[in-house]
Amino acid sequence: IEYEYPKINENIDSNKMNVELTFNKFFSRPIKANLSLIGKVQAENAALAALCAKILFNDISEDIIEKGLENAFLSGRFEILENPFNPRKKIILDGAHTVNSILGTIDSFRKTFQNKANLVFGAAKDKDIQHIAKELIDCQLLEKAFLTKPGSVKQSDLSLVEKAFQEKAKNQFTFVADEDYTKILESAFLESGKENKPLLITGSFYLIAEAIVGLVGGILLAVLTKKAEGLVYNRLDKIGIATNIILIPVYLSLSPLALALGMFSYPEYD
């Protein structure tokens, strides 16, 4: 299994991970694909999926397998979006909520981005917040943290999160804390866009769901106030903007459920 992380900086803007899978016993040639799913575990999952497809459907072609891998997508797993207030900078959504998965997120960020980021972090009360905070601080990839609750569904204790960051940070970077996750997310979007920094949002799939809801609102605000030249994913034409506005009630009702289900995707990694 060979894979190459995307490189995102001022001159390069690619959010695809190149993978090459060589299994001579099963395939007539290497499987090559550009994955939307980023990370070491995603390359391994791609290999497993390709092998399963070939074993179950012996006549399936390499071209079909490559197309399937390239179409695979899972929201909230190192998902890279544009900041609606500065489309040149990215927002990374990752529902990592254990020490192992946070380490995977840090590794993917280090290999994909060329500069430091701001952080939005919120976690449920039953998570290993002390050790997660330590890993996020020790990685030295962050400049400012916005600490909050992971939405209103899961039980959480912001004071525990704040205490963990206070004990581990030792003045390495600044952080702010507020239980109003909507306010924190809005501030993080705006400040990161203004400061020309990427923004990593992690700690809970419930927080990721709230971030997506906030991004929808950010898109609307950016469009209505003309503060941004680009929008999430792509610059939308008038029909695209209208469609997204019409679908906002659907986003609001479905995104928390869809993202919450994502936490069951990789039990061996979480």
Side-chain angles (χ1 to χ4, degrees):
I1 302 173
E2 297 181 5
Y3 54 94
E4 181 181 359
Y5 284 83
K7 300 295 183 184
I8 298 179
N9 55 38
E10 296 297 334
N11 302 314
I12 303 173
D13 187 8
S14 171
N15 60 355
K16 301 287 186 180
M17 186 174 74
N18 299 323
V19 298
E20 182 171 330
L21 313 172
T22 304
F23 299 103
N24 294 329
K25 182 178 178 180
F26 295 93
F27 301 109
S28 62
R29 63 171 177 81
I31 299 292
K32 299 180 180 181
N34 297 318
L35 301 183
S36 295
L37 298 165
I38 297 170
K40 176 178 179 289
V41 70
Q42 304 297 358
E44 293 169 350
N45 284 344
L48 180 60
L51 285 172
C52 286
K54 190 64 176 176
I55 291 170
L56 292 173
F57 307 99
N58 187 55
D59 293 333
I60 193 170
S61 70
E62 286 82 359
D63 289 342
I64 294 297
I65 291 176
E66 289 169 342
K67 185 175 180 180
L69 292 176
E70 291 188 345
N71 286 337
F73 174 75
L74 182 60
S75 188
R77 286 288 184 178
F78 211 80
E79 182 180 4
I80 301 173
L81 308 176
E82 290 181 0
N83 188 327
F85 299 100
N86 183 348
R88 294 185 302 276
K89 289 302 171 182
K90 305 300 182 182
I91 293 175
I92 305 96
L93 307 178
D94 197 295
H97 51 273
T98 68
V99 175
N100 282 342
S101 55
I102 285 289
L103 288 171
T105 300
I106 291 170
D107 183 61
S108 294
F109 185 91
R110 190 189 307 277
K111 292 174 179 175
T112 302
F113 289 87
Q114 308 303 304
N115 49 1
K116 291 187 176 183
N118 288 336
L119 168 74
V120 177
F121 180 80
K125 190 176 181 179
D126 60 348
K127 303 307 176 186
D128 188 357
I129 295 170
Q130 286 282 339
H131 288 98
I132 290 174
K134 181 181 184 302
E135 297 299 341
L136 287 169
I137 292 165
D138 287 350
C139 73
Q140 297 185 342
L141 296 174
L142 307 172
E143 291 196 350
K144 182 175 182 178
F146 298 80
L147 309 178
T148 190
K149 296 170 59 178
S152 59
V153 177
K154 297 287 284 185
Q155 286 190 349
S156 60
D157 188 338
L158 182 56
S159 65
L160 294 178
V161 176
E162 192 171 0
K163 182 179 179 182
F165 273 79
Q166 283 176 337
E167 291 177 352
K168 305 298 180 183
K170 297 179 181 178
N171 299 320
Q172 290 187 48
F173 63 86
T174 61
F175 65 87
V176 295
D178 195 318
E179 291 195 351
D180 188 340
Y181 47 86
T182 301
K183 178 182 175 182
I184 279 285
L185 286 165
E186 180 183 339
S187 296
F189 296 155
L190 287 168
E191 285 192 34
S192 299
K194 195 176 295 183
E195 295 170 358
N196 212 32
K197 294 175 184 173
L199 175 65
L200 173 63
I201 304 176
T202 192
S204 169
F205 279 102
Y206 295 92
L207 179 62
I208 298 304
E210 297 299 340
I212 287 182
V213 172
L215 280 170
V216 172
I219 292 171
L220 278 178
L221 183 60
V223 171
L224 295 174
T225 61
K226 298 182 179 179
K227 288 184 177 179
E229 296 176 356
L231 301 172
V232 173
Y233 293 118
N234 294 299
R235 289 166 176 77
L236 303 178
D237 57 21
K238 291 181 180 179
I239 295 176
I241 293 171
T243 302
N244 275 270
I245 291 174
I246 291 169
L247 289 176
I248 281 175
V250 178
Y251 296 154
L252 297 180
S253 62
L254 294 182
S255 60
L257 174 60
L259 288 169
L261 290 174
M263 71 179 68
F264 301 108
S265 300
Y266 304 113
E268 80 288 351
Y269 198 57
D270 282 345

